[in-house]
Amino acid sequence: MPTHDLDNTSRLSIEENVQLAPFTSFRIGGPARFLISARNVPEVQDALRFAHKNRLPFRILGGGSNLLVSDDGFDGVAIRLLLDAVTVSGGMVQVEAGFDLTSLIHRTVEWGLSGLESLAGIPGTVGGAVRGNAGAYGSAIGDVLTTVSALDATTLDPVTLRVDECAFSYRDSRFKRDPGLIVVRALLALTPGEPQEIEAKVTATIAKREAKQLSCDCSAGSFFMNPMVTDAELIRRFEEDQGVRCRECRIPAGWLIDQAGLRSLQVGGAMVSHKHANYLVNTGTATAAEMVELARLVKREVQDKLGVLLKEEVSTLGLTI
Ligand SMILES: Cc1cc2nc3c(=O)[nH]c(=O)nc-3n(C[C@H](O)[C@H](O)[C@H](O)COP(=O)(O)OP(=O)(O)OC[C@H]3O[C@@H](n4cnc5c(N)ncnc54)[C@H](O)[C@@H]3O)c2cc1C
């Protein structure tokens, strides 16, 4: 006998007790009490109504490439965003939140539109990228956005925000700070260019990432954000060691973890990648608890040895680090 209220939600695909691990790049995490796959905005609204009526918390799932889910799962409603319509007019691209970012970048090559090349190879959806202001090599998605359409999760009303209202900064945005705003659509302003040149830039970005082994499986990419550092001696050491100037006083977390001697450190099946020290990887059997213990250990050691406090880039569901 179902205890949940399904009024007005019969058109929704609602599954119960669904393991979340397969929906995350970590391949870690227990079951969600409910999993709803939403293919359009009215379905996202219905999914939220379902959560409200049943007095359950909700959480949006994009591509799951930046998410660590508790071993106990989530006693609430996980809403998978599958909305993926895209239209192009001149240099303006309107794209729904569930569209895969990599596929979008391939489409922009076909359309001869430049602006997203540095983001090639970043997994996940457009919505997840907007929420975390995903980026690489000095560019981020916020640089090419003009407006973001969101849903207010409480009132279910649509909200349209201009880019200057989205508070984009390094891996941060208004949507990250306010989980009550769900990104459903984005309008990007791209620059017309030669498809061959755009493709060459995309290929070069992917080659650069492959050379640094940034496509590593069973991770969430960079686990920690690159911290701002005030210690002039540490900055000097970094610049001398790497032969590059640090940007905005940020030192790569991977370099700090490496300097603390933590590369390949392991807790159960969770390991600091030997290829890239800011990637914490599931070697096959890791639990969320092991990943959390490893992350805490890394934070403690980096703080003790280098005096720098690392902050997670990865988001969590049902647990804290
Ligand atoms: C191998 C690898 C390499 C990576 N490299 C990079 C990189 O170079 N640069 C970079 O920035 N990131 C990188 N990442 C991290 C990740 O790809 C990005 O953070 C990505 O944008 C997350 O998108 P997603 O759809 O997978 O989000 P998810 O992991 O599904 O969700 C992440 C968080 O965003 C929330 N969320 C998702 N969609 C929405 C929405 N529509 N509205 C509101 N909230 C939402 C979720 O609730 C969750 O809290 C990498 C990850 C991996 C696995």
Side-chain angles (χ1 to χ4, degrees), residues 1-6 16 33-34 50 53-56 75:
M1 191 69 175
T3 55
H4 48 280
D5 184 347
L6 289 169
E16 279 192 69
R33 181 151 161 211
F34 296 103
F50 174 80
K53 274 188 186 171
N54 292 287
R55 297 179 194 283
L56 290 170
D75 188 16

Side-chain angles (χ1 to χ4, degrees), residues 88-260:
V88 60
S89 169
M92 304 305 288
V93 175
Q94 183 161 275
V95 59
E96 287 189 319
F99 204 92
D100 177 68
L101 181 64
T102 301
S103 307
L104 179 67
I105 294 171
H106 290 305
R107 297 287 281 277
T108 61
V109 171
E110 288 166 26
W111 296 327
L113 291 176
S114 172
L116 288 175
E117 297 90 320
S118 303
L119 278 57
I122 300 179
T125 60
V126 168
V130 171
R131 181 251 181 204
N133 195 19
Y137 306 113
S139 306
I141 194 158
D143 302 344
V144 293
L145 287 169
T146 57
T147 56
V148 176
S149 305
L151 276 181
D152 179 317
T154 309
T155 62
L156 309 186
D157 290 333
V159 187
T160 300
L161 296 164
R162 290 188 318 269
V163 66
D164 58 300
E165 297 172 308
C166 295
F168 286 118
S169 62
Y170 170 71
R171 302 294 171 272
D172 200 5
S173 75
R174 181 164 173 177
F175 312 100
K176 191 167 182 175
R177 286 163 187 250
D178 181 358
L181 277 178
I182 300 168
V183 177
V184 291
R185 198 178 307 113
L187 184 63
L188 290 74
L190 302 178
T191 312
E194 274 302 314
Q196 293 90 331
E197 280 175 28
I198 299 166
E199 187 168 29
K201 284 188 196 159
V202 168
T203 307
T205 304
I206 290 172
K208 233 193 290 185
R209 291 179 72 93
E210 277 172 4
K212 284 192 167 178
Q213 315 218 39
L214 294 185
S215 59
C216 170
D217 271 347
C218 288
S219 76
S222 293
F223 198 94
F224 299 103
M225 291 198 262
N226 296 333
M228 280 189 125
V229 172
T230 48
D231 180 345
E233 173 55 20
L234 195 58
I235 294 177
R236 191 200 59 73
R237 261 174 65 194
F238 165 74
E239 292 184 341
E240 195 178 286
D241 184 57
Q242 295 294 294
V244 290
R245 300 298 302 248
C246 79
R247 275 193 217 134
E248 298 163 351
C249 288
R250 286 189 190 277
I251 291 189
W255 185 82
L256 295 165
I257 295 168
D258 212 11
Q259 292 299 302

Side-chain angles (χ1 to χ4, degrees), residues 59-60 62-66 81 123 125 129 131 134-135 171 183 209 221 315:
R59 190 65 176 270
I60 301 297
S65 63
N66 197 223
L81 291 198
T125 60
R131 181 251 181 204
R171 302 294 171 272
V183 177
R209 291 179 72 93
S315 45

Side-chain angles (χ1 to χ4, degrees), residues 65-82:
S65 63
N66 197 223
L67 190 60
L68 179 61
V69 178
S70 155
D71 299 315
D72 296 331
F74 176 49
D75 188 16
V77 183
I79 305 173
R80 255 187 106 201
L81 291 198
L82 300 183

Side-chain angles (χ1 to χ4, degrees), residues 260-286:
L262 305 174
R263 202 178 273 253
S264 303
L265 178 72
Q266 202 155 350
V267 173
M271 187 173 95
V272 176
S273 167
H274 58 275
K275 300 172 188 167
H276 187 301
N278 196 15
Y279 277 32
L280 304 193
V281 296
N282 172 6
T283 60
T285 58

